[in-house]
Amino acid sequence: MTVAAGIGYALVALGPSLSLFIAVISKKPFLILTVLSSTLLWLMSLIVLSGIWRGFLPLMSTTWWPYSILILSSVAFQEALRLLFWRVYKKLEDILDSFADRIAKPRLLLSDKMEIALAGGLGHGVAHAVFFCLSLLTPAFGPATYFVDKCSQVPFFLVSAIIALAFVTIHTFSMVIAFNGYAEGNKVDQLFVPIVHLVAAMMTLINFASGGCVVGIPLLCFMAALTLMYCGKMTWGRLTENQNRVTLGNQ
């Protein structure tokens, strides 16, 4: 039963990501490489952040503000890294387009660019899940489960899995939104991503309150759903606009 529970927690955290990988990413080797490189990049960034903060931990404080500083600095670092990741991708895109022109092949389509952004975001999300959830799940395969005093209603491992699922969703689709914002100079998209990231991260502090997980987890899932819906609306609008432009160009 505990083995089944451990596998279940892992699937809660990464099941949708695995489905997305099989359905979309696995069909194109370049997207697989993008996921792997993105995962490695974000894992390294989290290791760097943990190394920086290691000298200050554990925080001997019962107040929330020291943790908010930790979260704020971590989000700022990751958002700066996201922008750097996009700049590197943009240079690679220019190289691929130039190569396509030389061999008389079509350039990257808008859908191709969005898939690359999706793969980069999936790598970010998987890195987060591995770092903050899967690394904690080993005891879940043992003979018992674990509860914490602040959240005695839900097993600790299930809480970790749901939080990981929410952040995987946020990171995966935020990358698509961010790449579109950077490419189009859309300030709304550019601001939406770091704001959602910061708000979602700050919501995890609710878990410090007694029974806070009962409130914090639904709020975090709401932020994940909001990110998904915003990305879907943005993607539909961009693809429709691009298709209309192509249709007019062919007339």
Side-chain angles (χ1 to χ4, degrees), residues 36-176:
L36 294 176
S37 60
S38 176
T39 303
L40 178 61
L41 173 66
W42 293 106
L43 276 175
M44 291 174 59
S45 74
L46 292 171
I47 291 172
V48 169
L49 282 171
S50 64
I52 294 173
W53 277 99
R54 184 66 183 87
F56 302 94
L57 297 175
L59 297 176
M60 300 301 181
S61 175
T62 57
T63 60
W64 61 270
W65 67 265
Y67 299 97
S68 66
I69 295 176
L70 188 155
I71 289 174
L72 180 61
S73 62
S74 300
V75 170
F77 180 83
Q78 290 190 57
E79 290 304 322
L81 188 60
R82 191 196 305 275
L83 179 58
L84 177 62
F85 184 72
W86 177 77
R87 292 186 183 279
V88 172
Y89 155 74
K90 192 62 179 175
K91 291 183 178 180
L92 179 60
E93 179 187 315
D94 293 339
I95 292 173
L96 292 175
D97 284 340
S98 298
F99 179 73
D101 292 339
R102 287 199 301 270
I103 63 175
K105 294 291 184 178
R107 292 189 169 198
L108 288 174
L109 301 175
L110 177 61
S111 57
D112 296 326
K113 298 176 182 179
M114 287 187 170
E115 286 180 348
I116 293 173
L118 184 69
L122 183 61
H124 187 185
V126 168
H128 186 281
V130 169
F131 197 85
F132 290 105
C133 179
L134 295 190
S135 61
L136 304 175
L137 286 185
T138 303
F141 292 87
T145 188
Y146 178 68
F147 293 84
V148 295
D149 294 336
K150 297 291 187 180
C151 185
S152 59
Q153 302 93 332
V154 186
F156 169 76
F157 303 115
L158 180 58
V159 171
S160 299
I162 296 174
I163 291 176
L165 172 62
F167 274 104
V168 167
T169 304
I170 290 171
H171 290 320
T172 299
F173 296 100
S174 285
M175 194 72 76
V176 180

